[in-house]
Amino acid sequence: MTKIPPNNIINFPNAWRPSSPQTPEEIAAALLEYKTMYSDEIAEMLWQTVLGELGRTGCDFNKNIGKYFPAMVLVLESIRSLHLLTQEIEHPLQQFALDTIHPDDFEQIMVDIDDEMD
């Protein structure tokens, strides 16, 4: 039997692979990261759909993107905040919404809308 000389050995690539979470804290952190990334993806997808539908109704954001962009980003962050809220993950807009939006103010608006539809 012939021996292969060591200089003819091809080393297998040593690809780095992250280790699996081992402790409850690591698992919680990994789960939080996954949920946050998923919320980001969902928010981005829904945001693009909302902007596309607004475009179909005649909104031309391109004519003055600097003017519209802050409101567009606010819509994105609102969607992200709402999705994160359902996952019990904090987002700065959640407290802002609690401080500035009062459900009683919207009750009358909803009643008025319902009356108009009848």
Side-chain angles (χ1 to χ4, degrees):
M1 192 180 324
T2 334
K3 278 187 151 183
I4 299 175
N7 61 352
N8 286 348
I9 296 175
I10 299 172
N11 288 328
F12 190 76
N14 187 9
W16 178 83
R17 283 181 255 143
S19 62
S20 299
Q22 301 296 312
T23 66
E25 293 81 15
E26 290 174 341
I27 292 170
L31 185 58
L32 176 63
E33 182 180 352
Y34 171 78
K35 286 180 175 182
T36 302
M37 287 181 356
Y38 185 67
S39 286
D40 291 346
E41 290 176 22
I42 293 296
E44 181 77 26
M45 180 191 66
L46 292 172
W47 182 63
Q48 289 177 4
T49 300
V50 168
L51 294 179
E53 288 302 310
L54 286 170
R56 285 177 5 105
T57 64
C59 297
D60 183 5
F61 300 119
N62 293 322
K63 69 180 178 183
N64 193 348
I65 192 70
K67 176 180 177 181
Y68 304 127
F69 190 71
M72 294 165 69
V73 171
L74 186 58
V75 170
L76 170 63
E77 289 302 317
S78 295
I79 295 168
R80 179 177 290 131
S81 175
L82 178 58
H83 192 271
L84 288 171
L85 182 61
T86 68
Q87 303 300 308
E88 298 190 19
I89 299 172
E90 290 185 22
H91 185 282
L93 281 181
Q94 294 165 0
Q95 189 60 50
F96 174 78
L98 286 172
D99 293 343
T100 57
I101 309 294
H102 305 285
D104 295 341
D105 296 342
F106 288 92
E107 230 175 81
Q108 184 60 43
I109 292 170
M110 295 309 290
V111 169
D112 293 345
I113 292 172
D114 288 342
D115 289 344
E116 288 176 11
M117 298 180 91
D118 290 338

